[in-house]
Amino acid sequence: MDTSMIEVELKKQLEFNIEEEKLKSIVEIISEEIIKYIQKRKEMTKYILEYRKKVIEDYRDDEDMVIEYFDHEIYVKEEAFKTIDRRLKELTALKSSPYFGRIDFSEEDYGINEMYVGRFGVTPENTYEPLIVDWRAPVASLFYTGALGEAYYDAPKEKIPVNILAKRQYIIKKEKLVGMFDSALDIKDEILQMVLSSNAGEKLKDIIMTIQKEQDDLIRQPRSQTIVVDGVAGSGKTTIALHRVAYLLYNYRKILQDKVLILGPNNVFIEYISTVLPSLGESGVKQTTFRDFAFDFLELEEVMTLKEYMEKVLSGEKEFTEDIMYKNSLQYKKFLDDEVEKLDSEYFTIEDLFFMNELVLSKEDITKMFRVHYKTMPLFRRSKKIKRIIYSKISNARDEKVRLIQKEYDKTVFALSKEEQELKVNDLDFNRRLKIREVIKEVLDLKKKLTWIENGNCVDLYNKINGYKKLTENDLGGILYFKIKLEGIKMSKEIKHVVIDEAQDYNQLQFLVVKELTKCNSFTIVGDSNQRLIPFEGDIPMHDLKNILPNLNVQEFSLNTSYRSTKEIMEYANKYLNAEPIVPIVRNGEMVKEKLVTDEDELKQFILQKVSDFKIKTYENIAIICKDIKETEKIFELIKEALSVKIIDREDAVYHSGVVVLPSYFAKGLEFDAVIMVLNQPSDIGEHKTDVLQNKYKQEDKLRYVMATRALHELYVIKKSSF
């Protein structure tokens, strides 16, 4: 080794030793902070308990005082307790890996700054300089910018120009410095490779340190903007969406706290990502599916399950496919609008309102209320308003009748002599009460007869125009749209930001109703148009949001680089795409191998052997992905005795790790260390297509693209010949 190389190695070792000492000192400071916060929490708990006890003792006999105390004191102290508790959890999480990056930059008037970036920020008590800067802070964006040299970050009032001098990244595990890399131009692939080469479990959580510039730019888009990200499989769409939520909550906590809604494709996926946001330091975010979101507003007895729906889609059932395409079209929205217009003019058969043979409200007056005065209100809200007016008019007429009865009674009694009053007043009073009772009975009878003003049930009305077919996922948007148009419903809970994942499968009505129900002006919408399995014609709605929701400030972005799978897996998946090929990050792995099997026994032995091989390689998440549920159940039955294996055969299944068999549509959005993809012969559908087979194979291609791109490290393809 020559002298210059020895000097470089010595310099590297020296730098490493300095960084080790720095890490040690930072861990010690964090440990001290943890002790302080434990003490603070202890004191706060003691204070709350003692104060509670004292107040209850002092005001034992004065219930109002106790309630007054609880209304105010508990709220203030427990909010402070929550803040301390959250900070303690953050510090505890940081202790084992306090930071993942450092950036050196010079700023005019401030000289050179050395800034460490971590999952959470740390500024010790009685100091002003942060020890660690939170990755979500505006200044931390410098860590994610591309090259060294001139750059800027967004301060609250202006852009601050800086000169980036150096960038360094760290791998820290259990308080030990495992590795570090200097980044001259961009975030080094070595770090990215280390994270991507790890197993699926911690990948989503550890991604903060490897966010690429193109991803970071999307995460930090303005709060008022709606971003639509069309990203290929493994481009980090879900990561971007969740980190954007964390970023927005950090910077706009007062506005957004507890007011964020995430809509995922199915409950398997929701369960899969549920730990990510808490790991980023955020909670109070509602995560659900569009189906469950719709069920909160609708009283529905039966809707086709996602499994049944997708099975019908995959089988290519002609009538079902045509129904889906129609309900995903612009014509369908027009049809619903026409039906609402028809109901507006025909639903209520308006009549004159008579009370005890006297006209109280004419048909013309009621019609004018419907057609002119309250025309802008949704029909069923309008009818409720008009019903209240009608009831008010009936009450006025009733009161007038009662006044006349009372007046007549008073006049009769007044005209009698004292002797006659003593003899007749009881009879007269009895008659008075009888007449009033008759008036009240007339009121009750009239209200019973007012059936024409009663509102219909939106689900029943929709079923009628839908020909009483079994309701599907496609109908939920339609029923909600109907309900919004007729009842003017909205969410009771305030929502300020909505995330929609796997948005390529949404139709325009779904986008419309989410916007209407949440009244939200800020969205993060992510999807992959290559993964849309649901039949459609023309542009998918995700790319037409500027027309569907014209009031939103919509910006579209595309991501073509995949960070998930190896180069070999992505090149295999690319052959199923008609679009631009995916650019894989250069991470090499095993070649994708195909195996033709001709009988069940061979299939079973091959799967068992491959799973055994994968386990030797310490892969924790292994999936056998089949096209549909029939194939999934068959494979599960074949191997369940010989292998510890789970099956995902319903949308509320929970999966964390191990070997799993599942149909293609439940695998969407998930990733596994290794995948065995089971296909039926004949033909490799990705190649040699004829015009006649084009449409039939288009969906099959997308399906296989989805199946193949679930794999992180290894993909095996089993091709079954008919047996």
Side-chain angles (χ1 to χ4, degrees):
M1 195 182 285
D2 63 33
T3 314
S4 60
M5 283 181 77
I6 292 168
E7 282 175 3
V8 168
E9 285 302 313
L10 283 170
K11 192 183 174 199
K12 269 188 183 177
Q13 190 56 49
L14 181 63
E15 286 282 338
F16 194 85
N17 294 344
I18 291 167
E19 289 289 3
E20 277 187 317
E21 287 303 312
K22 179 74 178 178
L23 174 62
K24 203 172 163 187
S25 70
I26 286 178
V27 168
E28 279 173 15
I29 293 169
I30 290 173
S31 299
E32 286 165 15
E33 287 292 298
I34 287 171
I35 291 163
K36 283 180 195 170
Y37 272 93
I38 289 171
Q39 189 57 36
K40 276 184 185 179
R41 191 171 68 171
K42 214 172 177 181
E43 285 166 11
M44 187 66 75
T45 308
K46 190 180 171 191
Y47 179 87
I48 290 171
L49 290 173
E50 284 182 357
Y51 199 95
R52 239 185 223 180
K53 191 178 170 189
K54 182 180 181 300
V55 167
I56 290 170
E57 284 297 322
D58 288 355
Y59 299 107
R60 185 183 289 280
D61 301 322
D62 191 342
E63 200 176 277
D64 290 340
M65 280 303 294
V66 175
I67 288 165
E68 195 176 294
Y69 154 71
F70 277 114
D71 280 350
H72 175 67
E73 189 68 26
I74 284 265
Y75 176 77
V76 172
K77 294 296 174 191
E78 289 190 0
E79 283 302 301
F81 179 85
K82 276 183 205 168
T83 305
I84 291 167
D85 194 52
R86 190 180 76 228
R87 192 72 194 116
L88 187 56
K89 281 174 184 163
E90 289 176 358
L91 289 165
T92 308
L94 273 187
K95 190 168 176 279
S96 63
S97 181
Y99 48 86
F100 47 77
R102 171 182 142 186
I103 185 155
D104 298 357
F105 62 94
S106 60
E107 196 178 334
E108 206 177 324
D109 302 332
Y110 291 99
I112 294 174
N113 291 292
E114 220 177 64
M115 183 178 81
Y116 285 84
V117 181
R119 187 176 285 176
F120 306 107
V122 179
T123 304
E125 267 190 359
N126 306 319
T127 62
Y128 299 102
E129 285 299 313
L131 189 70
I132 300 165
V133 172
D134 192 299
W135 73 274
R136 297 163 291 190
V139 69
S141 66
L142 296 174
F143 176 71
Y144 298 107
T145 55
L148 305 183
E150 289 183 6
Y152 67 87
Y153 66 91
D154 287 309
K157 290 182 181 175
E158 58 185 335
K159 292 184 188 301
I160 308 292
V162 298
N163 186 29
I164 299 173
L165 307 170
K167 271 197 237 176
R168 181 169 282 174
Q169 283 180 272
Y170 308 91
I171 295 280
I172 299 169
K173 300 280 182 189
K174 296 179 181 174
E175 303 176 23
K176 294 273 183 264
L177 184 61
V178 179
M180 68 182 205
F181 305 87
D182 283 328
S183 309
L185 290 171
D186 205 343
I187 293 178
K188 275 283 185 195
D189 281 343
E190 289 116 297
I191 290 261
L192 190 58
Q193 299 258 11
M194 284 177 79
V195 174
L196 295 178
S197 299
S198 66
N199 291 346
E202 291 294 311
K203 262 197 70 242
L204 270 172
K205 294 182 187 180
D206 281 346
I207 208 79
I208 308 167
M209 69 184 193
T210 59
I211 291 169
Q212 301 299 284
K213 179 167 173 24
E214 61 173 356
Q215 296 171 327
D216 190 61
D217 287 346
L218 298 183
I219 289 164
R220 294 175 195 267
Q221 286 295 312
R223 181 178 67 85
S224 57
Q225 200 158 281
T226 288
I227 69 167
V228 179
V229 182
D230 192 342
V232 298
S235 57
K237 302 180 293 293
T238 301
T239 297
I240 288 166
L242 296 177
H243 284 70
R244 187 173 189 227
V245 168
Y247 168 76
L248 292 174
L249 280 167
Y250 177 82
N251 287 285
Y252 305 100
R253 186 170 295 280
K254 283 184 180 173
I255 299 168
L256 296 177
Q257 182 78 51
D258 297 325
K259 291 171 187 165
V260 176
L261 171 69
I262 296 176
L263 295 173
N266 55 54
N267 287 309
V268 178
F269 176 83
I270 293 293
E271 175 66 28
Y272 178 71
I273 66 162
S274 62
T275 56
V276 180
L277 272 172
S279 83
L280 298 176
E282 303 305 343
S283 55
V285 174
K286 183 175 169 60
Q287 299 175 55
T288 187
T289 62
F290 180 81
R291 172 185 286 255
D292 289 340
F293 172 76
F295 284 174
D296 285 346
F297 296 94
L298 304 172
E299 290 174 20
L300 291 172
E301 286 179 20
E302 193 181 0
V303 174
M304 190 180 288
T305 63
L306 178 63
K307 179 165 82 175
E308 190 184 343
Y309 176 80
M310 286 308 302
E311 288 295 320
K312 280 178 173 286
V313 167
L314 296 183
S315 70
E317 206 174 288
K318 189 171 182 289
E319 194 182 322
F320 190 75
T321 302
E322 285 171 358
D323 189 61
I324 288 175
M325 291 176 82
Y326 173 54
K327 283 175 179 166
N328 285 334
S329 68
L330 289 168
Q331 293 94 305
Y332 191 61
K333 179 184 173 290
K334 187 180 182 312
F335 167 71
L336 290 179
D337 285 332
D338 290 345
E339 287 298 320
V340 170
E341 279 297 312
K342 204 186 286 182
L343 287 167
D344 201 294
S345 57
E346 295 174 8
Y347 189 77
F348 294 108
T349 310
I350 300 167
E351 301 168 358
D352 286 325
L353 182 70
F354 287 95
F355 180 63
M356 299 182 81
N357 299 320
E358 287 179 17
L359 185 67
V360 175
L361 258 177
S362 71
K363 182 179 173 179
E364 287 73 23
D365 286 341
I366 298 171
T367 303
K368 201 176 275 184
M369 282 192 272
F370 268 105
R371 306 277 180 263
V372 181
H373 302 315
Y374 306 112
K375 175 68 181 165
T376 55
M377 290 173 78
L379 182 63
F380 287 169
R381 272 184 63 193
R382 202 184 321 165
S383 63
K384 277 184 179 176
K385 170 90 174 167
I386 293 166
K387 187 179 180 180
R388 285 197 297 273
I389 293 168
I390 288 171
Y391 274 26
S392 173
K393 292 284 185 187
I394 293 169
S395 297
N396 291 342
R398 176 205 63 201
D399 293 346
E400 185 58 34
K401 289 283 180 194
V402 170
R403 268 196 300 274
L404 286 171
I405 292 164
Q406 186 65 39
K407 196 174 177 184
E408 193 182 316
Y409 168 79
D410 291 341
K411 188 179 173 185
T412 307
V413 170
F414 184 74
L416 296 173
S417 65
K418 275 197 175 183
E419 292 79 14
E420 285 175 317
Q421 279 182 11
E422 284 174 12
L423 288 169
K424 295 180 181 179
V425 79
N426 285 341
D427 285 345
L428 288 169
D429 188 50
F430 179 77
N431 286 332
R432 177 184 69 89
R433 278 186 281 139
L434 205 61
K435 284 176 183 175
I436 289 171
R437 199 172 290 135
E438 280 171 13
V439 171
I440 291 165
K441 186 177 179 301
E442 284 284 340
V443 170
L444 295 172
D445 288 346
L446 178 56
K447 285 182 177 178
K448 273 182 197 169
K449 286 175 192 168
L450 282 174
T451 51
W452 65 265
I453 194 75
E454 295 302 326
N455 285 339
N457 179 296
C458 287
V459 175
D460 293 343
L461 289 167
Y462 182 88
N463 279 330
K464 188 178 175 184
I465 64 167
N466 193 43
Y468 297 99
K469 283 185 271 191
K470 190 171 183 180
L471 296 172
T472 72
E473 202 90 359
N474 295 100
D475 293 303
L476 294 178
I479 301 172
L480 282 173
Y481 185 70
F482 224 48
K483 206 168 171 69
I484 290 164
K485 286 287 183 183
L486 293 172
E487 294 180 8
I489 54 165
K490 65 176 184 179
M491 283 187 83
S492 53
K493 186 178 183 288
E494 192 180 13
I495 297 292
K496 291 285 190 183
H497 190 80
V498 177
V499 173
I500 299 177
D501 204 345
E502 300 290 337
Q504 73 277 352
D505 288 335
Y506 275 54
N507 59 35
Q508 64 157 340
L509 284 175
Q510 286 175 292
F511 284 122
L512 266 171
V513 299
V514 171
K515 169 78 175 79
E516 281 301 311
L517 292 168
T518 60
K519 300 294 179 192
C520 205
N521 291 314
S522 171
F523 287 74
T524 300
I525 294 166
V526 299
D528 179 1
S529 45
N530 295 316
Q531 291 188 55
R532 184 176 172 109
L533 302 178
I534 295 163
F536 70 99
E537 281 179 349
D539 283 341
I540 63 171
M542 184 176 102
H543 289 310
D544 195 30
L545 280 180
K546 286 181 180 176
N547 293 320
I548 296 168
L549 303 173
N551 295 330
L552 294 182
N553 176 13
V554 178
Q555 294 294 323
E556 291 199 35
F557 303 90
S558 59
L559 298 171
N560 294 315
T561 305
S562 175
Y563 300 95
R564 176 188 292 147
S565 310
T566 62
K567 182 169 178 269
E568 290 76 11
I569 292 168
M570 292 320 300
E571 282 174 354
Y572 180 85
N574 271 339
K575 72 177 181 174
Y576 294 121
L577 287 186
N578 294 320
E580 285 286 311
I582 296 169
V583 182
I585 191 95
V586 183
R587 180 169 74 89
N588 292 91
E590 298 284 337
M591 288 299 295
V592 176
K593 296 186 181 73
E594 295 183 343
K595 168 83 173 170
L596 180 67
V597 296
T598 53
D599 61 57
E600 263 191 12
D601 192 54
E602 189 184 4
L603 175 66
K604 178 181 177 179
Q605 292 313 316
F606 185 77
I607 290 174
L608 294 177
Q609 184 57 53
K610 281 323 303 171
V611 169
S612 174
D613 293 347
F614 291 153
K615 283 183 172 178
I616 289 165
K617 293 179 180 179
T618 69
Y619 293 150
E620 292 168 16
N621 303 284
I622 301 163
I624 301 151
I625 306 178
C626 309
K627 176 182 174 178
D628 54 28
I629 198 69
K630 189 179 168 189
E631 192 70 53
T632 301
E633 287 168 348
K634 202 184 287 181
I635 300 275
F636 179 69
E637 288 301 319
L638 195 64
I639 63 173
K640 69 176 184 182
E641 300 298 330
L643 191 66
S644 173
V645 61
K646 295 171 190 166
I647 183 170
I648 294 182
D649 56 358
R650 60 184 203 280
E651 57 209 273
D652 58 352
V654 174
Y655 171 74
H656 292 296
S657 65
V659 185
V660 66
V661 189
L662 73 168
S664 54
Y665 46 85
F666 283 149
K668 285 180 82 172
L670 307 184
E671 56 187 34
F672 304 92
D673 299 324
V675 167
I676 298 168
M677 181 172 150
V678 182
L679 303 179
N680 285 310
Q681 287 292 84
S683 87
D684 187 345
I685 294 194
E687 298 161 6
H688 313 305
K689 301 184 189 110
T690 65
D691 290 340
V692 179
L693 294 171
Q694 185 73 32
N695 288 334
K696 184 185 172 186
Y697 288 155
K698 195 186 287 182
Q699 186 196 58
E700 193 79 23
D701 277 352
K702 289 191 172 186
L703 198 67
R704 294 183 175 199
Y705 163 76
V706 170
M707 292 162 80
T709 53
R710 302 307 96 205
L712 279 164
H713 309 306
E714 283 194 52
L715 172 65
Y716 259 83
V717 182
I718 297 177
K719 294 189 170 181
K720 284 171 60 188
S721 63
S722 301
F723 59 81

